[in-house]
Amino acid sequence: MTTLKVSFRGTALPASSSPQTSRHRFSDSVTFSLPKKSLIPKFPNTTILCHPKLVLQASFGKKTRASVSAIVATGVQEVLPPALTSSSVPPTLFDGKTRLYVSYTCPFAQRAWIVRNCKGLEEKIELVPLDLLDRPSWYKEKVNSTNKVPSLEHNNEVIVESLDLIKYMDCNFEGPSLFPDDPAEREFAEELFSYTDSFNTSVFSFFKGDGTEAAAGAAFDYIETALLKFEEGPFFLGQFSLVDIAYAPFIERFQPFALDVKKFDITAGRPKLAAWIQEMDKNNAYNRTRRDPKVHVEIYKKRFPVQV
């Protein structure tokens, strides 16, 4: 007989939950005895959303050992597909299906992926990941002439540019609204959308060695100040919105690299930013799109070699 031990770590949500709902953490393990000739399914580098609302990440080694981590999910059953390469069979384009073209490594694409999850559109919007290092030629020729992600194929049209795309998804699909009705909040949201490029440029320049720590610090100070404007909650507009989604993928990458390589703590002296990061860490729809911080650090080390 072969023994298989499965360990679970996760967070429990009430049946009707929102991104702000408090959650209960749990852990457990189960040991199975399997016949030697049992067929063991393999799911390398695969995330599975399965009933009863669990995300499972499983990998099986040579000794038939499995490590399974689980978190309660808000979506329906979903297996994240492998990224398509230049040799992959393309989907049947413009056949009436709605498709979201992303890369699992791209923060711009991650914005749209988060919105898809937040609005519970896993069954209505097919996720089509691309390998950015080996992009299929048909994508540039038939979907997005800029060859960038994300792109949304919907109603025989293609919507591009991540900020425009997430607004489009929020307005044109069912699910909880992610943009406020209040005019003052909407105006401030547009200001923050406009600042995203300046924010990213300041931080990237610091990472490349072209900019200063002071300039990067000023960018994070802007974020800290923005988080002070609405006191109804810990998010940019008080309540969770598209603005949080616009910034989260980048801060997710900036924080570990700045600390590990630049020895710069982006939350030092910025309690609102620290609280915002903690609240975002509780957002399950966002967490399902995240990668290990160590992976981000390694990617950025290649992109921004340490200056000597």
Side-chain angles (χ1 to χ4, degrees):
M1 300 291 285
T2 299
T3 299
L4 173 65
K5 183 176 182 180
V6 180
S7 298
F8 297 89
R9 293 172 298 162
T11 308
L13 288 170
S16 57
S17 59
S18 68
Q20 296 82 32
T21 304
S22 60
R23 310 186 301 174
H24 173 69
R25 298 187 179 279
F26 66 89
S27 63
D28 203 350
S29 63
V30 181
T31 300
F32 300 91
S33 294
L34 304 173
K36 290 184 178 181
K37 294 184 179 181
S38 292
L39 178 64
I40 306 298
K42 298 181 179 180
F43 307 99
N45 302 318
T46 299
T47 301
I48 303 172
L49 276 73
C50 62
H51 192 77
K53 298 184 177 180
L54 290 176
V55 177
L56 301 179
Q57 291 181 313
S59 59
F60 291 80
K62 293 181 179 179
K63 296 183 179 180
T64 321
R65 296 177 59 191
S67 175
V68 181
S69 61
I71 61 174
V72 174
T74 58
V76 296
Q77 183 173 347
E78 180 181 34
V79 177
L80 295 184
L84 300 183
T85 67
S86 60
S87 60
S88 301
V89 176
T92 304
L93 303 174
F94 304 108
D95 59 352
K97 287 186 178 180
T98 301
R99 297 181 176 90
L100 177 62
Y101 297 90
V102 301
S103 163
Y104 292 141
T105 63
C106 175
F108 295 96
Q110 189 179 356
R111 287 169 168 171
W113 187 7
I114 296 168
V115 171
R116 171 183 177 267
N117 292 352
C118 285
K119 295 182 76 69
L121 299 171
E122 294 89 346
E123 288 188 329
K124 296 195 173 181
I125 299 181
E126 179 184 353
L127 199 69
V128 183
L130 304 178
D131 184 341
L132 297 186
L133 298 179
D134 187 19
R135 306 182 202 210
S137 59
W138 53 263
Y139 179 71
K140 181 178 181 179
E141 295 167 357
K142 299 180 180 180
V143 179
N144 187 339
S145 60
T146 69
N147 210 21
K148 297 179 180 179
V149 289
S151 298
L152 181 71
E153 178 189 336
H154 182 232
N155 289 340
N156 293 321
E157 296 182 358
V158 176
I159 299 90
V160 298
E161 299 296 336
S162 63
L163 292 179
D164 294 336
L165 200 160
I166 63 175
K167 294 176 187 177
Y168 178 91
M169 292 175 68
D170 190 45
C171 291
N172 290 275
F173 291 91
E174 63 184 28
S177 175
L178 299 170
F179 205 61
D181 294 324
D182 180 75
E185 293 179 0
R186 294 177 73 91
E187 180 181 0
F188 189 54
E190 293 299 335
E191 291 179 18
L192 291 170
F193 286 143
S194 297
Y195 183 67
T196 55
D197 285 343
S198 296
F199 173 68
N200 293 337
T201 298
S202 296
V203 179
F204 284 142
S205 295
F206 171 48
F207 289 169
K208 289 188 293 185
D210 298 336
T212 64
E213 180 177 316
F220 287 108
D221 287 341
Y222 183 99
I223 299 300
E224 178 73 10
T225 301
L227 287 165
L228 290 168
K229 187 172 179 67
F230 294 99
E231 296 293 337
E232 294 85 355
F235 302 102
F236 283 103
L237 304 181
Q239 300 302 311
F240 180 75
S241 73
L242 292 179
V243 179
D244 303 289
I245 292 172
Y247 281 91
F250 293 90
I251 294 177
E252 171 188 332
R253 289 157 172 78
F254 293 165
Q255 184 183 25
F257 183 78
L259 188 61
D260 185 89
V261 176
K262 295 292 188 176
K263 310 306 177 187
F264 175 60
D265 183 356
I266 68 171
T267 63
R270 302 181 183 94
K272 287 292 186 179
L273 177 56
W276 178 84
I277 291 173
Q278 290 179 352
E279 288 300 318
M280 289 301 300
D281 287 346
K282 300 174 185 177
N283 187 317
N284 181 63
Y286 165 52
N287 284 335
R288 285 160 45 201
T289 71
R290 297 176 68 177
R291 306 189 80 194
D292 189 324
K294 294 179 181 179
V295 174
H296 290 318
V297 171
E298 292 307 311
I299 290 175
Y300 271 29
K301 281 181 178 179
K302 295 176 181 178
R303 182 176 177 183
F304 307 112
V306 177
Q307 304 295 313
V308 294

